[in-house]
Amino acid sequence: MTTQPIQKEKLFVNGEWIEAKDYSSLVSPYSGKILAQIPLATIDDVNRAVQAAESTRETLRKMPAHARASILEKMVKLFEERFQEAAEIIALEAGKPIATAKGEVSRTIQTYKFAAEEAKRIHGETIPLDAAPGGENRIAYTVREPLGVVAAITPFNFPMNLVAHKVGPAIAAGNPVVLKPASQTPLSSFFLAKIAEDAGLPKGALNVVTGKGSVVGDALVTHDLVKMVTFTGSPAVGIGLRNKAGLKKVTLELGSNSAVIVDQGVPLDKVISRSVTGAFAYQGQVCISLQRIYVHENLYEEFIEKFVEATRKLNLGDPLDEATDVSALISPGDKERVLNWIQEAVQQGAEIAIGGETTGNILQPTVLLNVPAESKVSCQEAFAPVVLINKISSVQEAISYVNDSQFGLQAGVYTENIHTALDAADQLQVGGVLINDIPTFRVDHMPYGGVKESGTGREGIKYAIEEMTELKLVIFNRN
Ligand code: NAP
């Protein structure tokens, strides 16, 4: 049997594929096998990438909207042609079950399509200056101008689509990008760079620099030529980099401990299958993964029974197997962390309804009951296949539990009562409220983002473009 040589990747700077001084091994979360050698960019490499981006700034700024849209459309076509390859890269480096990885590639395609469309719709408005005394005989309008170099720093969990949520709107708006992907998922970004190159994106408009967050990320966040940092990742890193970013624009898409509330009188069948998917898809490593379920006491026992039954049917295994629902967590350290958190909850009085152990290197989907609010599995972000189901006597009571959180990304409420739904929409302290659905819902053009430690700013192409452009006012004096 011949063994394949390990691929040595290169940095993508100014349209060139360049070697680095040092490399690190990229290891599959599931098999532990080495997948590739990844370049570790130095601060000099980062400076070169930022300089390359800056030097293409005017080219992009002057490029007509239809030309930017056309490049994005070509990228869409190339992603469609290389669909299977893209999904396998995600499955291998992120340990994402292939069926879910294919879903991510489909969404990536959607995201670049929306970006191509939105590139043609970036405009300002006319302002009636004569509404103010002294404003007579003036014509005023606004335009939206690209900001300049955008630093995009991305997490491991959606290595293609969350990168698309930064690169797509940046190109649509005419901004060059320096992309620093998560160390565990760089291959998706190199794949994107090849696609962008083939689609005819000008040299320097997209640069990919891999390496340690604390080195590469930090160098980007503090670089004078970087005009915006768009970050998706953990609250600790996001808050830290915002504190260093000075006057740069900063968008932060951070974590959460998302919840759903199930009111009395709700037919449970649809709720159960949606909730099981929301809790365990991609091992719970989704920013809006369902972590807390609050069920009305009238339905509590029935809900637990059905939820546990559906959880038992999930298939654990290799991410490349089409039948797999749940695979390995991103690192052995994360598995240990979550096992400790489960233990802590049990010591504090919680009960394990199913799971709580490992099968090989996979943490079993775990359902916990009666979890105290102060347990880490409740009040912190688990980012694992762990969900709690607690009993409530009213939706109002559950709203207070949902709001008693440092996070506020999305929340769901199942209810048959329109007044309850409207009250919940009004009172929940989150970026998005979903009535009759779980919080784990996103399509790629909706405004998406959180409050509190879940972040600041919105993504969803049109909204990201607003963040990535500066409003300029022009006034003609006819006096
Ligand atoms: P992470 O550890 O915060 O890493 C995110 C990115 O930041 C990576 O590229 C990382 O590089 C980089 N980084 C690390 N330290 C840095 C520093 N000091 N300065 C600048 N950059 C630095 O997050 P993750 O574990 O990859 O992703 C999971 C988190 O992302 C969860 O909290 C999840 O909720 C959140 N998330 C939020 C959303 C949303 O839209 N709200 C979506 C998806 C995920 P290295 O990999 O090299 O460390």
Side-chain angles (χ1 to χ4, degrees), residues 278-461:
F280 302 127
Y282 188 35
Q283 294 89 263
Q285 298 170 124
V286 178
C287 48
I288 37 173
S289 186
L290 180 54
Q291 187 174 326
R292 299 180 290 158
I293 306 179
Y294 297 108
V295 183
H296 194 278
E297 56 199 9
N298 292 353
L299 292 174
Y300 191 64
E301 298 304 329
E302 182 190 349
F303 189 97
I304 294 168
E305 194 186 314
K306 290 184 167 166
F307 192 94
V308 168
E309 194 186 310
T311 301
R312 194 167 284 124
K313 290 185 184 146
L314 295 172
N315 293 317
L316 279 52
D318 187 332
L320 287 175
D321 183 342
E322 288 282 350
T324 295
D325 299 303
V326 176
S327 190
L329 279 175
I330 199 70
S331 74
D334 279 289
K335 190 178 68 183
E336 287 311 312
R337 169 183 60 80
V338 182
L339 282 168
N340 287 335
W341 286 16
I342 293 170
Q343 255 346 94
E344 180 207 60
V346 170
Q347 277 157 14
Q348 291 169 336
E351 186 190 326
I352 300 176
I354 188 169
E357 288 175 13
T358 51
T359 301
N361 61 354
I362 300 174
L363 176 62
Q364 294 168 359
T366 300
V367 179
L368 296 168
L369 309 178
N370 305 316
V371 177
E374 66 274 17
S375 297
K376 292 194 188 77
V377 284
S378 176
C379 65
Q380 297 196 18
E381 181 179 38
F383 227 54
V386 177
V387 66
L388 67 86
I389 310 179
N390 280 7
K391 192 193 290 185
I392 45 145
S393 56
S394 69
V395 170
Q396 201 57 47
E397 179 193 352
I399 289 173
S400 69
Y401 297 145
V402 177
N403 286 345
D404 181 22
S405 169
Q406 74 213 70
F407 304 112
L409 195 45
Q410 296 200 140
V413 183
Y414 280 94
T415 182
E416 299 283 283
N417 185 325
I418 184 71
H419 302 289
T420 304
L422 288 166
D423 286 347
D426 191 37
Q427 292 168 24
L428 283 164
Q429 296 162 4
V430 287
V433 174
L434 291 104
I435 303 297
N436 288 332
D437 208 348
I438 52 171
T440 327
F441 174 85
R442 183 177 186 187
V443 286
D444 294 285
H445 61 310
M446 71 186 220
Y448 181 78
V451 298
K452 303 185 192 172
E453 288 187 21
S454 291
T456 163
R458 292 292 178 269
E459 289 195 337
I461 304 302

Side-chain angles (χ1 to χ4, degrees), residues 45-67:
D45 293 323
V46 174
N47 289 343
R48 235 171 287 144
V50 174
Q51 201 60 57
E54 174 68 16
S55 60
T56 193
R57 182 179 175 170
E58 270 311 291
T59 312
L60 281 181
R61 201 175 117 85
K62 288 187 179 141
M63 186 183 277
H66 68 80

Side-chain angles (χ1 to χ4, degrees), residues 43-367:
I43 298 202
D44 281 349
D45 293 323
V46 174
N47 289 343
R48 235 171 287 144
V50 174
Q51 201 60 57
E54 174 68 16
S55 60
T56 193
R57 182 179 175 170
E58 270 311 291
T59 312
L60 281 181
R61 201 175 117 85
K62 288 187 179 141
M63 186 183 277
H66 68 80
R68 299 194 307 269
S70 163
I71 290 169
L72 288 159
E73 280 159 15
K74 279 188 203 140
M75 289 171 64
V76 166
K77 209 166 151 281
L78 292 168
F79 268 108
E80 282 168 347
E81 283 169 18
R82 300 177 69 179
F83 187 95
Q84 182 67 23
E85 193 187 342
E88 284 173 14
I89 289 173
I90 298 172
L92 277 173
E93 67 176 358
K96 184 172 285 190
I98 188 82
T100 315
K102 284 181 185 170
E104 179 174 350
V105 180
S106 297
R107 281 188 53 197
T108 304
I109 290 168
Q110 282 289 312
T111 303
Y112 285 113
K113 264 188 197 164
F114 281 122
E117 291 160 5
E118 288 299 333
K120 301 174 185 172
R121 293 199 274 261
I122 302 171
H123 54 79
E125 59 182 349
T126 55
I127 314 288
L129 287 190
D130 65 346
E136 295 86 350
N137 285 319
R138 283 174 169 82
I139 299 168
Y141 61 90
T142 59
V143 288
R144 299 209 73 100
E145 294 194 327
L147 290 177
V149 179
V150 170
I153 304 177
T154 52
F156 75 82
N157 65 335
F158 284 84
M160 271 188 208
N161 195 35
L162 290 182
V163 166
H165 270 284
K166 300 184 184 312
V167 173
I171 295 172
N175 290 309
V177 182
V178 181
L179 168 63
K180 188 274 181 249
S183 290
Q184 181 56 44
T185 53
L187 301 180
S188 297
S189 288
F190 291 131
F191 181 81
L192 164 70
K194 284 175 203 122
I195 281 191
E197 194 180 24
D198 292 348
L201 191 69
K203 283 181 192 301
L206 172 66
N207 305 273
V208 181
V209 280
T210 46
K212 280 196 175 135
S214 51
V215 177
V216 177
D218 200 73
L220 283 171
V221 171
T222 51
H223 201 295
D224 282 346
L225 290 176
V226 169
K227 294 292 177 274
M228 177 187 190
V229 180
T230 167
F231 173 85
T232 302
S234 60
V237 174
I239 292 164
L241 68 80
R242 191 187 168 117
N243 290 336
K244 289 185 186 168
L247 283 182
K248 294 178 177 69
K249 273 202 175 184
V250 178
T251 301
L252 300 177
E253 302 287 340
L254 310 177
S256 80
N257 58 349
S258 296
V260 71
I261 301 169
V262 182
D263 193 9
Q264 60 186 327
V266 169
L268 282 190
D269 286 342
K270 268 194 202 160
V271 184
I272 299 292
S273 61
R274 287 286 293 152
S275 301
V276 169
T277 305
F280 302 127
Y282 188 35
Q283 294 89 263
Q285 298 170 124
V286 178
C287 48
I288 37 173
S289 186
L290 180 54
Q291 187 174 326
R292 299 180 290 158
I293 306 179
Y294 297 108
V295 183
H296 194 278
E297 56 199 9
N298 292 353
L299 292 174
Y300 191 64
E301 298 304 329
E302 182 190 349
F303 189 97
I304 294 168
E305 194 186 314
K306 290 184 167 166
F307 192 94
V308 168
E309 194 186 310
T311 301
R312 194 167 284 124
K313 290 185 184 146
L314 295 172
N315 293 317
L316 279 52
D318 187 332
L320 287 175
D321 183 342
E322 288 282 350
T324 295
D325 299 303
V326 176
S327 190
L329 279 175
I330 199 70
S331 74
D334 279 289
K335 190 178 68 183
E336 287 311 312
R337 169 183 60 80
V338 182
L339 282 168
N340 287 335
W341 286 16
I342 293 170
Q343 255 346 94
E344 180 207 60
V346 170
Q347 277 157 14
Q348 291 169 336
E351 186 190 326
I352 300 176
I354 188 169
E357 288 175 13
T358 51
T359 301
N361 61 354
I362 300 174
L363 176 62
Q364 294 168 359
T366 300
V367 179

